[in-house]
Amino acid sequence: MTETQKRFDKSAYIETYGCQMNVADSALMTDVLETAGFRMTEELTEASLILLNTCAIREKAEERVQSRLQQLTQLKRVRPDLVLGVTGCMPKHLGKELLDRLPKVDLFIGPDSYRHLPRLVEEAQEKPTLSLRLDDEDYSDLSPVSIEGIHAFVPIMRGCDRFCTFCVVPLTRGREKSLALRDVVRQVEDAVAKGVRAVTLLGQTVNSWHHGEDRFVDLLRAVSDIDGLARIRFTSPHPVQFGEDVFALIAERENLCPHIHLPVQSGSTRILDSMKRGHTREEFLELVELIRRHLPDVGLTTDIIVGYPGETDEDFDETLSLVERSQFDSAFMFRYSPRSGTQAYRKLRDLEIPDDVSGARLSRLIELQESISVQRFARWEGREVRVLVEGPSRRNPRNAVGKSDDGKTVILPGGPEAGDLVDVRIEKTTSHTMMAFGIEEKNAEPATEVMEV
Ligand code: SAH
Ligand code: SF4
Ligand code: F3S
């Protein structure tokens, strides 16, 4: 055994960036490491293994990790046995060039190699180690479920086959692979046995999940049949793969939430075509109508990119008008970020939009969506909603915080505990929070804070 190996005490710290899939992957890595005798710590300076589980979706995501790494490499001065690793989408996206770019990092692991983490960490104690192969790994026999309090993220598929022109995900996570229905059900049942009351099923195009004869609607029905689950959500579905049967089932089942995150990306058919999204503006608007017909009180949210290469003022106006017509409850809005390896990067570089133009468009879009969110939340004032309580509010522990079934954060008077389903009357709203009275205590003080939790 070498000196470095002798001092290495198998304490590990993981920091997570990016989407919910990465949150679930960090839970998976924790499980793999603990099984191999590692002890997880929340204290960065105590750890002999530090992993940053990274995202590559936009340039900013990668920049954040690079500056964090600069800080962390300083720790090596006081802890020469420290193994510093970068996992997830960024090493897969940037590949071998990272060995030169980040010489102080010992370990680079892509999303399909987490099973081999203990062996790779051992190798990395001796020399820089890289494992970026993508294969048919689905981790279905492991524990890829991330539990926090009463909520769990449950990946039901990995990878993506759609290759939208702007997106690195198919490059970083490989082809789509769905878990078997029985594996998902087993994992959700295990989570419920640990006290989980709400799950979010995860996949990049989650509604395209299929395994053997089973379709997404069958999986939803099976998960909805599990005893003890109060709330089931899924994210993110793709607009072209949605069957009406899914909305009918949500309408019928108490524990399937009328909360749909439906990324649109643009309101211009010309841009949607160029992005290879597979649907037109009109088809998206029809889908929104269909959803509302089945689920009149649906919480509908979306993702939008502005400043995609070649986006004209007219295209952007179409986005504004689609947003106006769709009346989303909220939206994640991004400025286009060129990603190496994608089709848009390879073919449309000369059509890129100047930063000041895309910046101005983003501000206008955010302003419009903010005013719509204010109205969408205000619709609930005076109405009763059922809230699944998540625990005390962090800002004011005398209040509790929870979620309405359509996905809105609700602050309510303290008392109820995590996992309780309580009916409350909404008193006040902002563009991202609702404040409530308990129904039983209409004369009590309402919750008073305005915050995002
Ligand atoms: N699978 C999901 C999206 C996952 S990525 C879907 O297809 O809906 C989350 C969001 O990041 C996307 O919906 C998109 O709005 C945004 N995004 C992806 N690539 C981007 C890029 N190159 N620049 C800016 N935003 C991007
Ligand atoms: Fe990316 Fe498109 Fe796949 Fe979503 S569907 S992950 S945007 S390629
Ligand atoms: Fe980022 Fe990878 Fe998720 S690129 S958004 S962490 S799939």
Side-chain angles (χ1 to χ4, degrees), residues 255-289:
N255 60 4
L256 292 179
C257 291
H259 176 197
I260 298 186
H261 182 67
L262 192 63
V264 64
Q265 316 300 359
S266 168
S268 153
T269 297
R270 202 179 70 81
I271 296 295
L272 288 168
D273 272 351
S274 172
M275 290 174 161
K276 299 222 164 82
R277 288 291 288 179
H279 62 84
T280 61
R281 162 194 176 83
E282 288 70 29
E283 282 161 346
F284 183 87
L285 289 168
E286 279 163 25
L287 180 60
V288 169
E289 245 175 61

Side-chain angles (χ1 to χ4, degrees), residues 45 70 77 79 103 161 164 190 214-215 237 239 271 289 314 346 364 378 391 440:
T45 48
Q70 255 156 23
R77 288 207 201 131
R79 248 203 115 138
D161 283 350
C164 302
D190 287 352
D214 299 318
R215 294 288 168 271
I271 296 295
E289 245 175 61
E314 290 72 33
R346 281 187 272 120
R364 263 188 82 192
E440 301 303 325

Side-chain angles (χ1 to χ4, degrees), residues 8-120:
F8 188 84
D9 69 357
K10 286 192 153 190
S11 50
Y13 168 95
I14 303 181
E15 200 163 281
T16 309
Y17 297 80
C19 65
Q20 295 105 325
M21 194 63 84
N22 256 15
V23 174
D25 280 353
S26 291
L28 173 81
M29 286 194 268
T30 299
D31 189 54
V32 170
L33 288 171
E34 284 180 341
T35 306
F38 279 77
R39 175 181 62 84
M40 302 309 292
T41 169
E42 308 268 299
E43 275 304 320
L44 190 66
T45 48
E46 271 180 17
S48 55
L49 170 66
I50 295 180
L51 297 176
L52 297 192
N53 192 15
T54 63
C55 173
I57 202 82
R58 285 169 288 276
E59 198 176 356
K60 274 219 178 84
E62 287 184 347
E63 281 168 4
R64 269 181 75 202
V65 171
Q66 307 230 26
S67 63
R68 183 67 171 144
L69 280 171
Q70 255 156 23
Q71 289 172 345
L72 294 182
T73 49
Q74 306 297 322
L75 287 175
K76 288 201 152 189
R77 288 207 201 131
V78 284
R79 248 203 115 138
D81 62 322
L82 175 65
V83 171
L84 185 55
V86 180
T87 66
C89 292
M90 182 173 147
K92 182 63 207 157
H93 178 225
L94 297 176
K96 292 207 174 97
E97 71 169 86
L98 278 179
L99 284 175
D100 295 331
R101 235 211 259 179
L102 301 170
K104 298 244 169 66
V105 174
D106 309 290
L107 182 59
F108 299 94
I109 305 186
D112 281 355
S113 299
Y114 300 146
R115 186 184 292 276
H116 312 296
L117 203 45
R119 175 176 57 77
L120 294 167

Side-chain angles (χ1 to χ4, degrees), residues 57 159-171 203-205 236-238 241 263 265 275-277 303 305:
I57 202 82
C160 181
D161 283 350
R162 293 206 64 92
F163 287 92
C164 302
T165 53
F166 52 82
C167 182
V168 290
V169 173
L171 312 177
Q204 293 300 345
T205 54
S236 292
H238 193 286
Q241 278 145 326
Q265 316 300 359
M275 290 174 161
K276 299 222 164 82
R277 288 291 288 179
D303 293 344
I305 296 176

